[in-house]
Amino acid sequence: MKIPYYPGCTLKSTAKHFENSAIESAKALGIEFVELPKWNCCGVVTPLAEDDIMHHVAPVRNLIRVLEMNKSGAVNDEKRLLTLCSMCFNTLKRSTLRIKEKVDDLDVLNDFMYKEEDYDGSVEVVHFLEILRENGFDEIKKQVKKSLENLKIAPYYGCMLLRPKDIGIDDAERPTIFNDLLTSLSAEPIEWRAKNKCCGSFLTLDNKEIVSRLGYDILTNAQKSGADLIVTSCPLCAFNLDNRQKIIKQKHPEFEEIPVLYFTQLMAIAFDLDKEVMGLDGNYINPVPLLESKGIL
Amino acid sequence: MPKTIVLDKKSVDFLKKITDLSGETITLCDQCGTCSGGCPVVEDMDITPSQLMRMVLIGDQTVMQTKTMWLCATCNTCTVRCPRMLDVSKVAEALRQVTLRQSINKVKIDEISKEDLSELPQIALVAAFRKLTS
Amino acid sequence: MKIGVYLCQCGGNISKVIDLEETKKYVDNKDVEIVQIHSNMCSGAGQKLITNDIEKLGLDKIVVAACSPHFHEKTFRAAMDKAGLNPYVLEIANLREHVSWPLKKYPEIATEKSKDIVNIAIEKVAKNYALEKKSFKMENKVLVIGGGIAGIQASLDLAEAGKQVTLIEKEASIGGKMALLTKTFPTEDCAACILSPKMADVAAHPNIRLLTNTVVTKTSGHRLHFEIEAETKPAYIKPNVDMDECLACEKCQEVCPVSVPNEWEMSISNRKAIYIPAPLAIPYKYLIDDQNCLNFLDNSCNKCEEICPQKVIDFSQKPEKIHFAVDNVVVTTGYDTIDPNLKPMFGYDKYKNVVTGLEMERIIDHLNEKPPPRDIGNKVAFIQCVGSRDEQIGNEYCSRVCCMYATKLASLLKQDRPESDIYIFYTDIRAYGKGFEEYYKRAQEMGIKYIRGKVAEVNQNPDNNNLVLRAEDTLSRQIIESEFDLIVLSNGLQPNKSSDFIIDTFKLAKSSDGFIKEAHPKYKPVDTLIEGVFIAGTAQGPKDIPDTVVQAGAAAARVIGTLAKGEFDIDPILAFVNKDICDGCEKCLNSCPKDAIKMNAGKAEIIEALCLGGGSCLGSCPIEAIDLHGYTNSQMYATVKAALENKKKDELRIILFADNASTYRLADAVGIRKMAYAHEIYIVRVPSGSRITPALLLQTFVEGADAVLIGDNIAKGSAFPWSRDISLENIKSVTQKLNKAGFTGDRLRHYEFNSGMLKDFVEMANSVSEDVKKLTKITDKEVSRLKEMI
């Protein structure tokens, strides 16, 4: 299947290994990402003020690209827009819902955009995990070439995949979609408290203290619950949980570092794709020693 | 020292302004504290999220001087738990907007260190600018 | 045909405005036997006038022109009945409320209009015929569904009053949720001690047939007569016959190898597959759990059968269907507690020492057993409003009992273990009942700490596996994060699962909270919207035991009152099918909201006990095979013809079809206040707006009406809530025809009233009249075009 794909800024820079591993793992499953032409930044966070329509322009402009792709034949009758980054997913999807709830806003938005054809509200935003679920986790099982049997993994859902409820792809309090994916990859998902706790998000800019405290709590909860590594689907969570271990280690010298991977990297490992595709050198805490000690690499 | 609050037209107007801007019927808040109990950053706040709701409800504008709204990262944990289906994150956004729309920035872009700029992913920067600058 | 017409002066109320001699002259010229004027027709002397004439002159139709039929229709009907004339060959011309009072200042107009009003009554009565009151016998039989405290109380009250009660309970023992409680708030009476004597009374009462392990599977019938089908699950123990009965010797239980969680103990302990459902079960009998018994699972065990000294075990028993009929039903299906897993943040399914309120009842009951069924430690938290007042799971309502049951459980624990450290996390404490506030205060006095804050989440400390609770103390504005040994979830009440089928089969309604809706929240709190079906207890909404018992008594009293009449009468104003015309097209079947029409041998048939006489079915019949006694097509056509017969050139007449329950009474009330309104309005009494078929509307225009109005009851609270939609539909189709025929303007309108909207009525009448005056007059051309279209 061919599906329009929105990368977002970070997947083209610090999270390049997220994108590469996702595109190649998807290919192994027969799913082809077709990148949006002329995409623009979604704004990362959704505008929450009632009167703020302006900031929905950026997301909606990306949605219009999906319609254009359908017209040009780049994709065949596929009005779903696939995202990888949890924040882009949440922001884009929230704009689609705002238009559904407040139909008049659509006219205002269309007035803002004079180059594009009018948007009709017909595009649905989906996350890659939803496509994997729809495709069937058994299909993933069939592609597993390297067993991850000995790997205990803490699935970290964070916020943006789950909340608010009308956006979330799974139960807000008891999500299972990551667990199902990990099980199909032959790894062992662990049960832990902090799976949907906030990492501190953009507070990482002006409140490193808070973010490292939250990170410490999340990481140690994963460790105490028996995890060898953590998987995530959000480049900001990844930064706060992975790169911020530097500060955490300074504050808590006894803290033992733990690797944080994108779920697609784990797919690439299990599918035994190229090392380059796995992109393990993109992670701050090097996961290679752990994976070697488990006999996976 | 408890302060004396006068319930006057100013307090009514403030509530109305925040209600309109957030789209949330703030008077529905039952003060059960569910939002505060589950808030991941409540320990870093000067007033709890439920206290923020309360201050807006009674029209106490000193809420504008508190830190809480700036610490809300819109994780929406409270949103999915509020028994009255209120979205505190929208009220926090409305309060932030009241300040930001006066061209008052919470972070100064030129004061961000080079190290941070090179290290932080774009989404962290863009999100923070969107939430903390005008 | 001999019609007698009686004009009442009403002590001057009528005759000082209307020149009745003039009216009499008009009537004298009609085909009537006698016309008389009397000062007070409703008096004994007035009535005597009628009865004498019936005897002397052999009158067979009566018209009384007096006050509103809502005052004295019954009086005159009774007089006619006494004189041997059928009471339904009577018509009342409402001269007082509809003519002399509103037109008090316009005596000449009033006199002219009085002729028309009397004319309408004469022309209609000419088409009237004898109708017989229908009555149905009742047999003093009542079904009570649900054997909790509500059903027990209602059954006992009914049985004591001599009614034959069948009490159906789906579980193996009666007692319901109350039987699970350790003690009751606020008096701390032992629940079992006050309940079990009542349970025993039920079993022993000669007027109660108790069917446990039984559910209602099918019902049919109508108000005050219901056919019931129920099914009893087998107990696999032979019923009591001769000396072969079960002695409850316990030998079977001892040898049974199966051990499963004991439902009655909220699974805090186990039971065998052959067991007595509860220590004080009624009936006190063994039964076999065929879902867990090895004999049923793989036929590998029959130890109980071998050891039973009475040889009463019978694995071959099958479910049994029971059929019976009752006059009334009392629904006491009770509640279920809200599933605590709907709130996963409290960890009920993950942590053993997170328990529900009902589980805590059982734990407290066994607190001092050695060993105790569960180690509960000393530090205990109660979480209030679990599932109640929580719109995240769709429950807006307060469950009303949780504040007090938590207070009770905490108090009992504290009394037994004074060293316990107990916290109750709440949003509001609702101690509204008798003795509740005092009870709450006593708990505070004992040192139980009430923390105002709803708990956000419960987690486990991975270091020591202790439960960690997080909440805001909203009064001190601090976050509490603390470890507890035991956390009790005060989960709320929701309608019992089994009530869904009962609601469905009896066509009851649900309130927005999902509980069964009462007929009226203030005046009919234990009636349902279905006649003959009553409710009591938590089936109607969350409530405590005293309130439940009060409601059960009230429901029993309502049943007793209903049955006291011995039979129930229904007004003969009922739909009927002209079988010679009916071609069996079945179009009418969907038109009756009460399902009172069925097919019989290819023809439609009215189930009279269900028919409300609203007339909505008449419009559904394309060939006028359905009709309505008292308001037949021929009667209605005669009525509108008479109303427009004397219309002069240049005169305007507007026909208002007024529903009997609200619009007609409203016009009466307007008259009583002597409020004037446009005299062009002619009021025709109908049972409901839906009776006015498109054909009748068209005919009214053909007869010369300048405008036609339908005044109906506001749907909310109406006996015919569907009437409005039917009327609007009819008006739409007729308006299209009027337009086609060239009628101009908005001449066909629908209004909704209740009987208090006096000003609205006057405004409506005046504005319609003004509007119509402005329109171009209808000419014969349009009328003849309309005629052709019909």
Side-chain angles (χ1 to χ4, degrees):
Chain A
M1 82 187 271
K2 274 181 169 182
I3 186 162
Y5 157 61
Y6 176 82
C9 319
T10 310
L11 272 86
K12 293 294 181 188
S13 56
T14 56
K16 190 72 190 147
H17 50 310
F18 186 10
E19 176 174 58
N20 288 344
S21 54
I23 290 175
E24 294 305 318
S25 311
K27 218 174 262 172
L29 293 165
I31 302 165
E32 188 187 336
F33 292 9
V34 189
E35 189 172 318
L36 288 193
K38 292 189 289 176
W39 55 266
N40 53 258
C41 171
C42 64
V44 188
V45 282
T46 200
L48 291 170
E50 278 294 287
D51 61 357
D52 188 353
I53 303 174
M54 186 64 192
H55 283 111
H56 288 284
V57 171
V60 170
R61 194 166 264 144
N62 288 315
L63 303 178
I64 293 175
R65 303 282 173 250
V66 177
L67 299 180
E68 289 169 1
M69 288 171 78
N70 274 276
K71 238 184 186 172
S72 73
V75 291
N76 187 17
D77 196 21
E78 178 58 88
K79 287 192 180 177
R80 292 181 300 177
L81 176 58
L82 182 137
T83 53
L84 286 171
C85 164
S86 303
M87 294 193 84
C88 299
F89 163 73
N90 197 289
T91 304
L92 292 167
K93 188 167 176 184
R94 274 198 167 200
S95 287
T96 65
L97 292 194
R98 165 107 185 191
I99 290 163
K100 273 181 196 152
E101 279 162 21
K102 302 194 171 160
V103 185
D104 295 345
D105 285 1
L106 189 56
D107 296 335
V108 181
L109 284 165
N110 280 325
D111 285 345
F112 275 126
M113 295 172 290
Y114 48 91
K115 279 189 184 163
E116 288 83 0
E117 273 188 39
D118 278 1
Y119 179 56
D120 61 359
S122 63
V123 175
E124 300 285 334
V125 175
V126 294
H127 191 270
F128 186 35
L129 281 168
E130 289 177 283
I131 296 294
L132 292 176
R133 177 171 58 193
E134 177 192 287
N135 204 39
F137 290 114
D138 283 345
E139 294 302 310
I140 294 173
K141 216 180 242 171
K142 286 182 202 158
Q143 295 301 323
V144 173
K145 310 237 158 53
K146 271 246 166 81
S147 169
L148 308 178
E149 229 167 354
N150 297 322
L151 215 47
K152 288 188 172 171
I153 301 177
Y156 179 71
Y157 292 85
C159 312
M160 296 292 131
L161 280 182
L162 302 176
R163 299 187 290 265
K165 280 181 186 170
D166 48 358
I167 302 290
I169 65 170
D170 205 344
D171 188 280
E173 301 284 349
R174 293 272 177 94
T176 55
I177 190 166
F178 254 141
N179 299 48
D180 295 340
L181 171 68
L182 294 174
T183 310
S184 70
L185 290 172
S186 71
E188 186 189 331
I190 60 134
E191 184 49 40
W192 61 313
R193 167 178 63 82
K195 58 180 170 288
N196 53 358
K197 296 284 168 217
C198 179
C199 68
S201 186
F202 56 83
L203 299 179
T204 203
L205 175 68
D206 65 333
N207 277 295
K208 293 190 187 65
E209 286 294 305
I210 293 178
V211 169
S212 55
R213 180 177 62 74
L214 293 172
Y216 178 72
D217 179 57
I218 292 165
L219 298 168
T220 51
N221 183 253
Q223 288 168 325
K224 280 178 184 168
S225 307
D228 300 319
L229 69 84
I230 294 172
V231 295
T232 177
S233 69
C234 174
L236 189 47
C237 299
F239 179 82
N240 285 343
L241 296 183
D242 191 2
N243 301 51
R244 287 285 181 235
Q245 289 190 36
K246 191 165 120 193
I247 306 177
I248 292 169
K249 186 80 183 165
Q250 285 162 7
K251 261 189 121 176
H252 305 276
E254 82 295 346
F255 173 73
E256 283 179 37
E257 289 155 334
I258 177 168
V260 179
L261 267 66
Y262 291 109
F263 69 97
T264 51
Q265 290 182 287
L266 211 63
M267 288 172 75
I269 294 168
F271 293 177
D272 202 17
L273 303 179
D274 283 353
K275 281 248 157 62
E276 250 169 56
V277 173
M278 297 177 196
L280 296 175
D281 49 353
N283 301 65
Y284 178 78
I285 303 296
N286 184 6
V288 174
L290 168 75
L291 295 170
E292 280 177 350
S293 77
K294 297 279 179 184
I296 294 164
L297 286 185
Chain B
M1 274 279 282
K3 57 182 179 185
T4 303
I5 300 166
V6 181
L7 303 175
D8 56 8
K9 187 159 183 305
K10 270 190 207 157
S11 35
V12 175
D13 290 347
F14 182 65
L15 169 63
K16 185 172 185 318
K17 181 173 174 177
I18 304 303
T19 301
D20 291 347
L21 206 46
S22 66
E24 297 298 303
T25 310
I26 294 158
T27 45
L28 270 177
C29 175
D30 221 0
Q31 285 294 300
C32 69
T34 304
C35 48
S36 310
C39 179
V41 288
V42 68
E43 277 90 347
D44 303 286
M45 292 172 169
D46 47 0
I47 57 165
T48 65
S50 67
Q51 207 173 347
L52 175 141
M53 294 293 282
R54 190 71 194 165
M55 288 174 83
V56 175
L57 187 146
I58 62 169
D60 180 356
Q61 296 187 52
T62 60
V63 72
M64 294 308 302
Q65 276 82 60
T66 63
K67 292 200 298 185
T68 294
M69 68 192 89
W70 304 106
L71 292 178
C72 170
T74 322
C75 79
N76 287 315
T77 304
C78 53
T79 317
V80 299
R81 287 181 179 172
C82 174
R84 286 286 173 88
M85 307 296 270
L86 291 170
D87 190 341
V88 183
S89 75
K90 286 191 174 172
V91 179
E93 174 108 336
L95 292 171
R96 283 194 297 265
Q97 288 294 321
V98 170
T99 300
L100 297 176
R101 288 179 188 190
Q102 299 166 46
S103 287
I104 301 167
N105 290 342
K106 195 63 193 166
V107 293
K108 300 215 163 50
I109 297 177
D110 47 8
E111 285 173 15
I112 300 170
S113 72
K114 271 219 173 92
E115 193 201 345
D116 279 349
L117 280 176
S118 65
E119 173 186 64
L120 287 166
Q122 283 96 320
I123 44 174
L125 293 167
V126 179
F129 294 162
R130 285 285 298 276
K131 293 288 175 188
L132 308 173
T133 68
S134 59
Chain C
M1 186 158 44
K2 290 181 175 176
I3 303 175
V5 180
Y6 300 87
L7 307 175
C8 180
Q9 296 174 326
C10 193
N13 279 317
I14 294 172
S15 58
K16 277 185 183 166
V17 181
I18 297 170
D19 181 353
L20 284 179
E21 290 300 334
E22 269 286 309
T23 318
K24 183 168 182 298
K25 257 187 241 163
Y26 170 77
V27 180
D28 277 334
N29 287 329
K30 297 212 46 122
D31 181 18
V32 299
E33 191 71 13
I34 187 168
V35 191
Q36 298 221 52
I37 299 179
H38 191 269
S39 61
N40 288 92
M41 280 307 298
C42 60
S43 67
Q47 292 179 48
K48 192 93 190 178
L49 213 57
I50 301 177
T51 50
N52 279 348
D53 286 353
I54 292 172
E55 267 169 47
K56 273 197 300 195
L57 306 172
L59 298 182
D60 56 3
K61 302 279 171 76
I62 304 293
V63 169
V64 182
C67 56
S68 167
H70 285 290
F71 289 100
H72 285 302
E73 191 173 54
K74 273 188 184 157
T75 314
F76 298 121
R77 278 188 177 160
M80 288 160 68
D81 203 18
K82 242 201 230 153
L85 190 58
N86 183 284
Y88 289 89
V89 291
L90 167 75
E91 281 300 318
I92 306 276
N94 187 346
L95 286 188
R96 192 178 71 179
E97 279 76 7
H98 291 184
V99 186
S100 72
W101 275 347
L103 294 174
K104 202 174 174 195
K105 292 181 183 156
Y106 312 94
E108 276 154 34
I109 298 176
T111 302
E112 279 309 299
K113 193 170 178 178
S114 75
K115 295 174 189 169
D116 295 315
I117 300 300
V118 177
N119 189 34
I120 293 172
I122 293 169
E123 293 301 328
K124 184 170 178 207
V125 88
K127 307 276 183 190
N128 280 15
Y129 49 87
L131 293 172
E132 297 304 329
K133 265 209 161 137
K134 311 268 169 179
S135 60
F136 293 82
K137 271 215 157 33
M138 291 185 285
E139 294 174 275
N140 264 348
K141 289 182 179 165
V142 187
L143 167 65
V144 178
I145 306 172
I149 180 60
I152 289 171
Q153 185 67 43
S155 297
L156 288 173
D157 286 355
L158 287 164
E160 279 300 293
K163 309 300 160 201
Q164 298 299 313
V165 178
T166 301
L167 173 59
I168 283 186
E169 167 56 50
K170 69 178 189 313
E171 303 295 338
S173 168
I174 56 169
K177 298 286 191 297
M178 184 177 170
L180 304 177
L181 307 182
T182 166
K183 290 186 175 170
T184 57
F185 62 77
T187 47
E188 295 185 1
D189 295 302
C190 147
C193 315
I194 56 178
L195 178 64
S196 54
K198 278 188 184 285
M199 290 164 62
D201 287 351
V202 166
H205 207 293
N207 288 346
I208 299 177
R209 174 169 61 148
L210 175 59
L211 302 172
T212 52
N213 252 327
T214 302
V215 290
V216 174
T217 47
K218 210 159 105 187
T219 71
S220 60
H222 48 72
R223 42 185 170 169
L224 309 182
H225 182 86
F226 300 92
E227 303 280 341
I228 310 291
E229 180 193 272
E231 184 176 292
T232 299
K233 276 190 289 183
Y236 306 104
I237 309 291
K238 282 179 193 153
N240 298 354
V241 272
D242 304 329
M243 295 299 285
D244 292 338
E245 68 187 69
C246 167
L247 303 174
C249 68
E250 298 185 15
K251 286 196 173 99
C252 52
Q253 188 177 331
E254 284 159 16
V255 296
C256 177
V258 176
S259 178
V260 290
N262 185 345
E263 305 87 345
W264 192 80
E265 292 287 3
M266 295 305 295
S267 305
I268 66 165
S269 59
N270 282 5
R271 62 160 170 82
K272 297 297 182 70
I274 183 163
Y275 66 112
I276 287 177
L280 296 169
I282 295 289
Y284 194 78
K285 271 186 196 164
Y286 273 89
L287 76 151
I288 294 174
D289 166 8
D290 57 13
Q291 299 299 303
N292 289 298
C293 168
L294 298 178
N295 193 283
F296 290 92
L297 291 179
D298 57 7
N299 206 8
S300 66
C301 171
N302 64 343
K303 284 187 178 145
C304 55
E305 190 180 22
E306 278 172 0
I307 204 158
C308 176
Q310 298 294 102
K311 299 290 167 214
V312 292
I313 287 167
D314 177 7
F315 291 118
S316 70
Q317 276 183 5
K318 293 279 174 284
E320 200 185 326
K321 290 259 191 225
I322 309 146
H323 295 89
F324 55 98
V326 294
D327 309 308
N328 279 196
V329 179
V330 182
V331 178
T332 53
T333 42
Y335 70 92
D336 283 327
T337 49
I338 297 172
D339 178 6
N341 290 323
L342 291 173
K343 302 301 293 175
M345 59 288 276
F346 300 138
Y348 174 75
D349 62 342
K350 274 171 44 184
Y351 313 126
K352 191 168 180 240
N353 269 10
V354 177
V355 301
T356 65
L358 274 184
E359 284 165 3
M360 192 62 180
E361 298 278 352
R362 304 315 308 147
I363 290 169
I364 297 263
D365 224 26
H366 295 280
L367 203 55
N368 292 315
E369 278 171 18
K370 299 239 160 46
R374 195 167 296 191
D375 177 18
I376 61 168
N378 277 327
K379 198 170 166 197
V380 179
F382 286 79
I383 303 181
Q384 297 307 108
C385 296
V386 175
S388 314
R389 303 176 69 194
D390 187 345
E391 292 167 42
Q392 292 286 351
I393 57 165
N395 291 339
E396 207 178 332
Y397 61 91
C398 165
S399 290
R400 296 178 91 232
V401 294
C402 323
C403 285
M404 284 302 116
Y405 84 58
T407 298
K408 171 194 75 184
L409 291 169
S411 299
L412 294 173
L413 182 62
K414 188 76 178 169
Q415 286 165 45
D416 202 75
R417 297 184 179 182
E419 71 281 10
S420 315
D421 189 14
I422 305 175
Y423 299 81
I424 296 181
F425 290 85
Y426 70 97
T427 310
D428 297 290
I429 288 294
R430 292 180 171 167
Y432 58 90
K434 183 167 176 169
F436 289 10
E437 183 65 22
E438 297 90 323
Y439 191 53
Y440 168 43
K441 188 186 152 192
R442 273 214 303 282
Q444 290 173 310
E445 209 166 39
M446 272 189 260
I448 292 161
K449 281 151 279 189
Y450 288 79
I451 311 279
R452 196 194 175 285
K454 191 162 178 172
V455 173
E457 52 193 52
V458 173
N459 292 300
Q460 202 164 36
N461 180 342
D463 294 331
N464 57 14
N465 287 341
N466 286 347
L467 297 170
V468 184
L469 169 154
R470 261 182 82 94
E472 179 184 26
D473 173 22
T474 60
L475 298 180
S476 74
R477 295 297 183 189
Q478 297 181 78
I479 304 299
I480 293 173
E481 182 172 87
S482 193
E483 293 188 359
F484 286 89
D485 300 320
L486 180 77
I487 289 175
V488 185
L489 305 180
S490 295
N491 50 340
L493 277 50
Q494 65 184 18
N496 195 298
K497 278 189 298 293
S498 62
S499 68
D500 278 342
F501 176 76
I502 302 299
I503 289 171
D504 207 42
T505 188
F506 288 111
K507 300 192 168 66
L508 307 179
K510 277 184 186 180
S511 311
S512 59
D513 57 11
F515 291 91
I516 300 175
K517 190 173 183 166
E518 59 283 332
H520 190 284
K522 304 242 176 341
Y523 309 126
K524 291 184 173 180
V526 295
D527 288 39
T528 65
L529 294 168
I530 300 299
E531 206 177 335
V533 180
F534 301 88
I535 39 171
T538 51
Q540 181 260 347
K543 58 180 61 67
D544 65 356
I545 295 165
D547 283 2
T548 295
V549 171
V550 166
Q551 265 200 345
R558 290 284 296 122
V559 171
I560 293 162
T562 310
L563 297 182
K565 295 171 202 151
E567 53 185 31
F568 79 98
D569 296 335
I570 54 173
D571 208 41
I573 306 301
L574 300 168
F576 64 99
V577 177
N578 194 330
K579 298 228 159 162
D580 297 336
I581 302 178
C582 176
D583 63 2
C585 75
E586 301 192 359
K587 283 196 177 114
C588 54
L589 293 186
N590 289 327
S591 71
C592 179
K594 288 282 156 188
D595 293 337
I597 310 176
K598 63 174 182 188
M599 297 306 290
N600 186 2
K603 306 270 179 183
E605 187 176 286
I606 306 294
I607 306 163
E608 294 190 328
L610 287 180
C611 177
L612 297 180
S616 24
C617 51
L618 271 67
S620 71
C621 181
I623 52 174
E624 296 195 345
I626 302 190
D627 217 333
L628 180 64
H629 290 305
Y631 299 94
T632 60
N633 285 321
S634 82
Q635 286 168 332
M636 293 310 294
Y637 289 140
T639 300
V640 296
K641 187 164 189 254
L644 295 157
E645 195 178 337
N646 302 321
K647 184 183 155 188
K648 294 178 197 69
K649 210 170 176 252
D650 297 331
E651 194 193 336
L652 288 183
R653 282 197 191 177
I654 298 162
I655 301 296
L656 167 61
F657 291 109
D659 83 289
N660 189 35
S662 67
T663 313
Y664 194 91
R665 282 167 192 267
L666 174 61
D668 284 356
V670 167
I672 290 167
R673 301 279 184 88
K674 322 267 192 315
M675 292 161 82
Y677 56 90
H679 66 86
E680 291 86 357
I681 305 278
Y682 281 68
I683 297 168
V684 173
R685 186 187 184 196
V686 291
S688 84
S690 60
R691 162 65 185 88
I692 318 302
T693 59
L696 179 56
L697 286 171
L698 289 168
Q699 188 59 34
T700 310
F701 281 105
V702 168
E703 296 290 354
D706 294 279
V708 180
L709 317 175
I710 297 176
D712 214 345
N713 203 340
I714 288 176
K716 200 178 174 213
S718 167
F720 310 104
W722 53 84
S723 180
R724 174 178 183 268
D725 292 340
I726 294 173
S727 284
L728 292 180
E729 196 61 36
N730 292 343
I731 286 177
K732 218 165 107 188
S733 72
V734 171
T735 303
Q736 278 172 359
K737 288 206 171 118
L738 291 178
N739 292 342
K740 238 185 179 172
F743 282 66
T744 55
D746 186 10
R747 293 176 185 271
L748 180 50
R749 304 185 190 186
H750 183 264
Y751 294 91
E752 283 171 85
F753 293 113
N754 63 41
S755 44
M757 296 165 68
L758 282 75
K759 275 190 186 157
D760 305 72
F761 180 87
V762 172
E763 261 168 43
M764 178 276 297
N766 292 341
S767 70
V768 172
S769 153
E770 283 309 307
D771 288 354
V772 174
K773 275 177 199 160
K774 283 180 207 147
L775 296 173
T776 340
K777 282 216 130 250
I778 301 168
T779 64
D780 290 346
K781 210 167 85 190
E782 281 109 43
V783 174
S784 61
R785 248 184 269 156
L786 193 64
K787 247 188 214 165
E788 275 166 36
M789 286 165 64
I790 307 170

